[in-house]
Amino acid sequence: MNAHEKLNYVEFAARDVPATKSFFEKAFAWTFVDYGPEYTAFSGQGLDGGFFQASLCSTPATGGALLVFYSADLEATLAKVEAAGGHVVKPVFDFPGGRRFHFTEPSGNEFAVWSDHRSPLR
């Protein structure tokens, strides 16, 4: 449901729209609706959005916003990200709220995944 003056949609640049789409399908089971070869949209993922064809990408190092996923099982999510072709740019680390890691998807956009749960091995 749309809420007045609340974040509603996010759009990301993607160097390779098909590869980015495939990554999110494999890693997070997202589904997409294509609007031509240069735009694909997702919904039902906490925030709806899309990826558009462009030569740029979003990283915190260049001033881009960092969108962060939550995971109840950080190690399982890490394994899925890597298996789907994501590149871990910051391995799992502790921070005051729990643990997290950062990754880039095939188009170079950086995301993070956090968990407030400790690994049973820790």
Side-chain angles (χ1 to χ4, degrees):
M1 174 160 62
N2 297 327
H4 179 67
E5 296 180 346
K6 302 297 180 199
L7 289 175
N8 180 262
Y9 201 84
V10 62
E11 293 187 328
F12 296 95
R15 295 177 183 147
D16 186 337
V17 172
T20 292
K21 180 179 164 182
S22 177
F23 169 81
F24 282 99
E25 288 171 337
K26 291 175 186 171
F28 297 103
W30 287 12
T31 58
F32 290 87
V33 175
D34 294 332
Y35 295 94
E38 296 186 349
Y39 195 90
T40 191
F42 58 87
S43 61
Q45 302 307 319
L47 181 63
D48 294 348
F51 293 95
F52 61 92
Q53 182 68 48
S55 61
L56 302 172
C57 62
S58 179
T59 67
T62 59
L66 179 66
L67 275 75
V68 183
F69 292 84
Y70 174 77
S71 173
D73 186 340
L74 197 64
E75 282 71 21
T77 302
L78 174 62
K80 287 172 36 179
V81 164
E82 290 178 320
H87 176 70
V88 175
V89 295
K90 288 186 182 179
V92 175
F93 62 94
D94 293 326
F95 72 101
R99 300 167 57 238
R100 75 185 206 187
F101 69 92
H102 293 210
F103 69 92
T104 55
E105 50 82 25
S107 287
N109 293 301
E110 186 174 336
F111 295 86
V113 180
W114 83 283
S115 181
D116 52 357
H117 299 283
R118 298 287 179 206
S119 167
L121 303 176
R122 294 183 65 127

